[in-house]
Amino acid sequence: MKSYTGYSKGFDDEEEDPGLPPKMASAPAKYGAKKKATRKKPVQQQAASKMSKAPVFKAQVMKKMAYDSDGSNGSIEDDEDHDDVEDNEEGSFVAAKSTMQAKSADLFQAQRTKMAQKAAQPRPDTEGLIDSLVFRRAYQQAVENGDPQPWGWSKLMIIGQGAAGKTSTVRSLLGLDPVETWESTVGVDLKVTSADDWKQRDHAETDFNLMLHKAAAQIVKEGEHPRQAGAKSKGPAPERTSRRFSKTVLGFFGLRRSSAKSAKTGDAAPASEMEEEVDHDGAAQNAAAPPASLMEQEEVARAINLDWARKLTNSEDTPLRFAIWDYGGQDVFYALHHVFLTKYGVYVLVFDMRQILADQESVIEYLRFWLNSVKLHAPNAPIVMVGTYADEVTTDDEYQRIEGILRRDVGTKLLVQVIKDSEARRSFFPMNNASASPTRGEKLRQIIENCAADQDYVKQKVSLRWIRILTDLVEDSAQQYVSMAHVRSLGSSYGVTGEELSHMLRFFNEIGALVHLDANETLSKNVVTQPQWLLNKLSRVIADEMHIESLYYDPELQRLGLAEDFERMRKMGVASYELLDFLWDGDEVDFLIEFMNSAMLLSPWPFNDKREYLVTSLLRDDSDTLAAEQGDGAQAIDPSEFEGGAACALDFSEFYLPDGVFQRLVPICAEYSARDEDSSLPRLSRQSAQIAFGWNEFLLEADHGQDIIRITFKPDAEDVGENIKVIVSMFRALKDNVMQNLKWKLVLFSQKNPAQGADYEDLVGARARKASKVRDTQGRAAKVSEFGIFFQSEETLGSLVSDESGGESSTSTAPADLTQDAAAATSEGFDVFISHKQSSGGDQVAILYEKLQQHGLRVWFDERMPVITKPAMEEGVKHSSAFLLFLSRGVFSSGYVKFELQTALEAGKPIILVHESDTQRLGYSDFGEYIQTAPVFAQEARLFELVESIPFQRRYYLEKPFVDELSKRIRAATAAHTH
Ligand SMILES: Nc1nc2c(ncn2[C@@H]2O[C@H](COP(=O)(O)OP(=O)(O)O)[C@@H](O)[C@H]2O)c(=O)[nH]1
Ligand SMILES: [Mg+2]
């Protein structure tokens, strides 16, 4: 195992080293000024106003060329399907740059060789001079290239039951004095440390400087090996560009790149072949500014510290740093696990050894819970189990007993990621947090360091450009979040734009350096640079009685007349907007609501005139309180009403049923329920809910003993299959959003024998084979006919467990008569003209076409048109009441889309925007990408400022509301048109 201490120690000598670079506070005024100007902008600020600053930065790079000693050709590595355009555009610039680089590279190479020769001889007096020149070049080169450096950071997550000794263990790790009184941690407490000394420090470490020194030292070091250096001078070093690097990171995440190849499969239609001619997928890159310098040269000069740099060149070590997340024990926070228990971290699971000996059952249960949670959200992360109270539990005998329990009952033997103490032959590490010795944490520190040093993400190389951006973002700890517009402009100033920027943010989010969720637009508008801020805000809503007690007596609550609202939230989980606004001091209320909503911790409660939200984690165990609160006619849940009704279950017994599933399913159901005015009010409690979709009522029950969620319909319920499909699609949405690794299946119960369940897939198979019997979940025979009620609407609904209509291509071939209908409609005109890019939006638009036609709308859609020529398109646009632009990846690179849009704008047609919302597939995760790539005439028409785009929905339960909304907008446009 490598030692990770030497290098960092060197860095920490900084106090005595007067020549060391100043902290980032003294970064050149350029950055400071820019930051001040853009940081304070409100989140809602239209990103459209932030356009590329390309000309300015180009000038800066030109100025730097004289100092460029890079051996590479300076152009950005081509990435299969990108950049051709960019290279052409920048052609002359790149050529000029490489000539000069070649020159300075020769010079630099000569110096390096000289250095290497000198190393063997006694050093003459001029040595310092040459050294400083070499290092100056090296720094400059590192700055210009944005050389990738090992990331070196790891999250260290301290988890376990309340009062188990988590906070004390953190104190032991940091060498702080033990504390005697227990103060329960609320939410999560964040600390930062470095493995060289394990002293707590500021988050605003000079990451960039640290990595820059390392990069420069490496360059010099490589220069000392003539063979290696020779090979380098022949051509560009492949890993030296940020573009190439982003590819490494893509591979690291197992992400799919939108390559021309994959996007264009199935493009057989003649329309798309035509499109091909004008299609440049690289158009998005047009907007990218050329890579700019990460540091002014004067700053580079100041950054050089010879002694220190020489020391670094001889060091193999990688600095290792930790962000320590000390979790509160409150189970109300379990709902946030998917946000914070991310893949890339080391987990320390703390338990009280006295307790496991005294009260096995409960400790086993919570250890299992935590191990499962880690397995669910971070399946490959190492887990270190720590047993506290080693001052009281001291004998080997006791440790043996604990080991037995852990192996036998908790199953740590089977969990490969549990770190074993091979010396002591144990799967846990005893810890005495009461000891005053500063070395009490030494062994644990060593184990954690070793675990972390082994992790791929720690060794993962990250572009200096990324580090520079991160440093700029987090250095100001007073700034707790920034707008995406700011991040985008900061990114482009360092040459990180578009997809690379999105991937960078995803990486930083996964790694826990900041919080950025890109599931939807409102969310991606902010980047939270201080995760603690988010946690503190959430703690004001999701908290147990103990932590919220002081709020009951807050005079401000009374003064604002919110005491009742507060009571209502605490009793029945329904919070008013005004109350949230108060709890969050008016900070980013909409963003925080959206954050909780996307984490499915809260959902609109649309049963009142007031703006209210349901926070399920605050629900009580019984539904009486809720019923009483709701007043008129509201009742408690009555299970007897459901006896004899059709029943099925989401079955998780193969793994386990995490808390959050039921908690999240309920608000989605409740919200859906409100869409139908025939629905009666939901009746809710912590573990069960009675919900109506129109006249169909069902009971949802979480059974954590059996690890199932049971769904029982009233005996008179009609569309059982339809409703199961809706509920399953809701569940799939939450699983895909927050619990990807959750294993599950749908089990249907026999109507005759409600205790007998059979796997839905098995039943489907048996029915296909026309078998009369099927094996039930216990392996016994069951009659297929007894499950008939679930298959009544089979023909219309298709499978109960799939909800992505977008994946099925049944709609892509147009029946002949539809084409004729369309032709006939030409004379009378159309309600809407659909414009789209075939390769990334074709399938979605084919679905839209069908759905809108079903709504009785007359739609112009090229795939269904008898004639597709430019004049025909122009006619189509002019004879349509509204113009629908479907936004998918690379949409503005299509010449037809631009032509159609321009025609529509000139004809003054009302524009409707729909965007692909699946960011992993064909949409952009950052809506700003559409804005940036839009043609100038669209920007001048303020297209994105005046029209709110609707996300395209595939999910079964979202599709209908989506199409309803869309046709409403089209009809509104049509009505306006006819006036
Ligand atoms: N004697 C002794 N007390 C401990 C030990 N670890 C924790 N404690 C005490 O247990 C209580 C709870 O510890 P704390 O770290 O706050 O628990 P947390 O809720 O898991 O963070 C505190 O009063 C600590 O002083 C230990 O190893 N030995
Ligand atoms: Mg604590």
Side-chain angles (χ1 to χ4, degrees), residues 166-167 182-185 326-328:
K166 295 181 295 297
T167 303
W182 175 58
E183 236 183 78
S184 155
T185 313
D326 179 12
Y327 278 80

Side-chain angles (χ1 to χ4, degrees), residues 814-842:
D817 56 330
L818 278 184
T819 313
Q820 270 156 29
D821 279 357
T826 319
S827 50
E828 300 143 41
F830 300 89
D831 293 309
V832 65
F833 181 103
I834 305 187
S835 179
H836 73 289
K837 180 179 162 79
Q838 180 61 23
S839 59
S840 59

Side-chain angles (χ1 to χ4, degrees), residues 807-823:
E808 290 151 25
S809 54
S810 59
T811 49
S812 63
T813 45
D817 56 330
L818 278 184
T819 313
Q820 270 156 29
D821 279 357

